[in-house]
Amino acid sequence: MIEELPITDWTGPFDAALKQRAVTALESGAVLSFPALPFLVREDERAFLDARVSDGKSKNISLDPATGKLQATSLTGDKAQRLGAMIERFGAGAAGLMSALLPYRNVERARTSFRPVQVKGRSYSKISDDRLLHVDAFPTRPMHGRRILRFFANVAPAGSPDGGLRRWQVGEPFEDFARAFLPRLRPHLPGQSWLYGKLGVTRGQRSRYDEMMLSLHDAGKLDDAFQKNSPQQAVSFAPGTCWMVFTDQVLHAALGGEFALEQTFHFDIDQMADPARAPLKVLERLSGRELV
Ligand code: SIN
Ligand code: FE
């Protein structure tokens, strides 16, 4: 479930056996962890490790790497610019590591986020509560089967509560989860995805795949028995370490922790070593129909 890679640098080059291990582990639904790869927060950036840099409304501060626009921070002016630069340094590092370690090409570097608010003890609706097991699916951004791969760094400072650990639960294999929930999913409403696309509720039209992934995300979070009783394992990520996971495939819940950075990547399933392991292909096999 966890595959540890002992690498200590962000740029490689990495040897072929290590690269093979990385891609096989990731695609089979493991979390790839990098216990000896810290993201270094500089002395003059330490002040950003403070929940008050958030605007208090969003879970995350996000940076759009295409425009450099920073969202949901309370900081302004020079401070906002320096926070943006730290997040960008992380995102660029993650993108470099990704291309040196993994075979995927035509990768879209999506948003980079900084998560400065303690996960524990906040209140959310169930659907937006990432302390419940889920696979990622975006309500406003249809993926049409494209993958969601996320790279995280724990940057909690020394002396943080609970040792600064970011605590996750990781659930059962995607196929087991999908098989159990597919019969119960809300029905496909012809016209709804078209209307949402037209109205601009979604960026383009949702495919059946997107509807199914959203339904799985919601149905899993709303099922208390599943949350409590399904096979799962506690995993914790120490400060000064990084990890990477297909969050559209691996059931995950973040139970505690503060001060993480995260970079999201998207790419087509034809880039995978084994596209049959993509959630799209698993769902098409289980449902017996094309979904995009
Ligand atoms: C999530 O992706 O559900 C949250 C992960 C985290 O912030 O640790
Ligand atoms: Fe998630």
Side-chain angles (χ1 to χ4, degrees):
M1 190 168 287
I2 299 279
E3 181 81 14
E4 289 192 356
L5 290 197
I7 64 171
T8 53
D9 80 279
W10 294 74
T11 50
F14 303 112
D15 72 67
L18 186 97
K19 294 206 270 198
Q20 186 60 47
R21 224 172 98 204
V23 71
T24 303
L26 269 183
E27 293 191 7
S28 60
V31 178
L32 208 54
S33 91
F34 305 94
L37 189 73
F39 175 74
L40 298 175
V41 174
R42 293 192 318 229
E43 195 60 48
D44 61 328
E45 294 166 336
R46 299 272 155 85
F48 299 141
L49 302 180
D50 184 326
R52 289 168 301 184
V53 304
S54 152
D55 68 2
K57 289 187 252 228
S58 305
K59 286 186 264 199
N60 306 330
I61 294 169
S62 72
L63 174 77
D64 180 342
T67 61
K69 204 173 160 232
L70 198 60
Q71 261 174 337
T73 177
S74 62
L75 301 181
T76 54
D78 172 60
K79 282 187 179 149
Q81 204 155 30
R82 287 193 299 110
L83 174 62
M86 179 183 86
I87 299 173
E88 170 56 30
R89 190 170 79 249
F90 167 76
L97 175 65
M98 161 93 173
S99 79
L101 185 64
L102 295 167
Y104 310 133
R105 296 296 169 259
N106 301 317
V107 173
E108 175 192 349
R109 185 184 149 197
R111 281 199 198 164
T112 320
S113 70
F114 176 46
R115 305 171 175 218
V117 182
Q118 172 57 245
V119 172
K120 221 176 282 182
R122 291 188 61 196
S123 61
Y124 313 85
S125 72
K126 271 193 180 175
I127 296 294
S128 55
D129 191 349
D130 289 339
R131 295 171 304 183
L132 297 171
L133 284 169
H134 65 284
V135 287
D136 287 349
F138 308 125
T140 57
R141 191 187 201 293
M143 296 301 296
H144 300 268
R146 278 161 67 79
R147 303 303 314 267
I148 305 171
L149 180 60
R150 293 189 140 156
F151 182 85
F152 293 87
N154 185 344
V155 292
S160 295
D162 192 28
L165 294 177
R166 199 159 193 90
R167 294 191 181 273
W168 279 25
Q169 291 291 111
V170 175
E172 66 188 348
F174 180 78
E175 183 156 349
D176 296 349
F177 166 61
R179 193 178 288 115
F181 278 89
L182 271 190
R184 307 201 246 144
L185 295 189
R186 45 178 186 254
H188 164 70
L189 298 175
Q192 190 199 51
S193 56
W194 174 85
L195 186 66
Y196 282 0
K198 272 278 171 240
L199 294 175
V201 175
T202 54
R203 268 209 261 166
Q205 209 169 306
R206 281 182 194 158
S207 60
R208 276 187 194 249
Y209 169 77
D210 295 296
E211 291 180 350
M212 226 176 237
M213 290 296 285
L214 282 167
S215 291
L216 285 171
H217 169 274
D218 294 0
K221 280 187 173 173
L222 294 171
D223 187 331
D224 295 341
F226 166 75
Q227 290 295 328
K228 211 163 132 230
N229 304 325
S230 69
Q232 53 192 281
Q233 192 183 308
V235 177
S236 55
F237 304 103
T241 73
C242 293
W243 63 103
M244 185 189 261
V245 58
F246 277 115
T247 54
D248 55 357
Q249 172 180 357
V250 176
L251 280 157
H252 60 285
L255 301 189
E258 199 178 5
F259 308 125
L261 285 151
E262 173 272 334
Q263 175 63 55
T264 303
F265 300 101
H266 300 311
F267 51 89
D268 287 337
I269 66 171
D270 64 6
Q271 293 296 316
M272 295 176 64
D274 184 6
R277 290 183 182 273
L280 172 65
K281 292 297 172 192
V282 173
L283 292 175
E284 288 189 334
R285 191 154 40 74
L286 293 177
S287 66
R289 62 184 314 160
E290 278 192 18
L291 299 174
V292 292

